[in-house]
Amino acid sequence: MDIPLEFGRRTEQSVVMKKYAVVTGASAGLGVEFAKRLSKKGYKLVLVARRKERLEKLAKHLKTECEVIEADLTKEAECQRVYERIKEKEIEIFVNNAGFGECGRFVETELEKELDMIQLNIKAVHFLTKRILQKMQKQDSGYILNVASCAGLMPAGPYMAAYYATKAYITSLTRAVAEELRESRSHVYLGCLCPGPVNTEFDRVANVRFLVRGIRAGYCVRYALEQMEKRKVVIIPTILMKIAMTFGRFLPGNTYVWLAGRQQKRER
């Protein structure tokens, strides 16, 4: 089994106990890769997404026990229902992966789609982070990884205005709460994954074609889990994105936003 002898406070004996890993948005892209990787590590899985048939197909190809939950996390009642289904399980890893984007001029993009994006990218992540964190605090162990984006580390993103704003919320929330956990000496981990373009179906859903070559989803997930083990709060795969994010800190805010908008306009 591809399982380290120690994962935070977990020991080899606790692996035998078959703790759970939960992945939202597990029907495509990074969610599928997280499920595959965590299954290889020996975790029992709870897979959450709207497309039940995709989840069931994925579950058949994984070696560990899988529970499938069909849910539309744009609805708060569905978030609550998912939590009720999993709250009694011994969850060691929770991956808040569900989310999507939209590209276009703000005055032209579809309002209903953007509101669903806010519900999923912000409210669902906030809801589940809070509930799972409260649960993990009681056991004083566990890992929560929120999938954000490098977009969330930038001041704004013209032509993907709402998407950038949703990811900024997640990175800000995660960093703040992670500091609270550090100060309280909690053994619970909270971090955010902030990749640049990744080769998934995100581009098609968001109506965007990135000019920067995307990284493989499998590499992104493997790197994320490695950094999570090291308790890194903000995880940025690839040297190129790390340099870009570091360089951006030294730019005047208006210049940074102008550059982001110029790049995004070319990718529409």
Side-chain angles (χ1 to χ4, degrees):
M1 269 190 181
D2 182 19
I3 306 175
L5 293 180
E6 187 170 351
F7 195 169
R9 302 185 73 211
R10 175 165 58 89
T11 64
E12 189 173 12
Q13 182 180 2
S14 66
V15 173
V16 177
M17 294 167 62
K18 294 183 179 179
K19 293 185 179 181
Y20 283 87
V22 182
V23 182
T24 69
S27 61
L30 291 177
V32 171
E33 295 301 325
F34 272 114
K36 290 178 179 178
R37 192 74 182 171
L38 290 168
S39 178
K40 287 181 180 179
K41 288 181 174 291
Y43 287 96
K44 295 166 73 172
L45 295 175
V46 179
L47 308 176
V48 184
R50 289 182 299 110
R51 295 174 288 192
K52 185 178 180 180
E53 68 285 352
R54 284 199 179 193
L55 295 179
E56 291 176 339
K57 183 178 179 181
L58 172 62
K60 289 178 181 178
H61 290 86
L62 299 178
K63 296 181 179 180
T64 51
E65 179 183 325
C66 295
E67 180 178 341
V68 166
I69 302 179
E70 179 184 11
D72 181 357
L73 298 181
T74 62
K75 299 175 173 60
E76 185 176 333
E78 290 284 270
C79 294
Q80 181 64 38
R81 182 173 66 83
V82 169
Y83 176 68
E84 292 296 328
R85 285 275 299 272
I86 65 176
K87 68 180 182 180
E88 300 302 326
K89 298 183 186 298
E90 190 172 7
I91 299 171
E92 181 160 324
I93 298 176
F94 191 96
V95 182
N96 256 320
N97 171 69
F100 68 91
E102 174 69 329
C103 185
R105 294 182 69 224
F106 184 73
V107 295
E108 297 172 353
T109 48
E110 184 183 343
L111 177 60
E112 185 176 351
K113 184 176 181 180
E114 286 181 327
L115 292 178
D116 279 346
M117 179 169 58
I118 291 168
Q119 292 280 10
L120 184 60
N121 292 14
I122 293 179
K123 291 189 71 175
V125 173
H126 185 114
F127 181 101
L128 292 169
T129 296
K130 195 175 192 74
R131 287 288 181 252
I132 298 301
L133 180 56
Q134 290 169 337
K135 170 181 168 58
M136 289 182 172
Q137 279 287 79
K138 292 178 181 179
Q139 66 194 36
D140 196 28
S141 66
Y143 296 79
I144 301 173
L145 182 65
N146 292 333
V147 177
S149 166
C150 277
L153 301 174
M154 300 169 66
Y159 302 100
M160 288 190 80
Y163 175 74
Y164 273 59
T166 64
K167 293 306 181 179
Y169 182 94
I170 297 307
T171 55
S172 178
L173 179 76
T174 301
R175 295 167 98 167
V177 179
E179 176 60 17
E180 292 177 12
L181 293 172
R182 187 192 67 80
E183 290 186 2
S184 66
R185 304 195 177 197
S186 171
H187 291 98
V188 180
Y189 164 88
L190 177 63
C192 55
L193 172 61
C194 297
V198 182
N199 294 328
T200 66
E201 62 183 48
F202 173 92
D203 303 20
R204 178 180 58 78
V205 175
N207 300 311
V208 65
R209 184 181 64 185
F210 292 109
L211 300 178
V212 177
R213 184 177 179 180
I215 62 175
R216 291 181 295 106
Y219 166 78
C220 183
V221 166
R222 184 174 72 251
Y223 183 83
L225 293 177
E226 288 172 355
Q227 296 303 302
M228 186 179 78
E229 288 185 42
K230 298 175 182 178
R231 308 187 78 84
K232 180 76 172 176
V233 174
V234 178
I235 301 170
I236 305 175
T238 77
I239 296 297
L240 178 61
M241 283 297 113
K242 288 178 182 176
I243 292 173
M245 293 301 101
T246 301
F247 176 71
R249 296 174 192 167
F250 299 99
L251 290 175
N254 289 341
T255 302
Y256 203 169
V257 173
W258 176 79
L259 286 172
R262 183 180 180 187
Q263 177 76 358
Q264 212 61 67
K265 191 174 182 179
R266 295 170 60 198
E267 295 175 343
R268 291 175 61 191

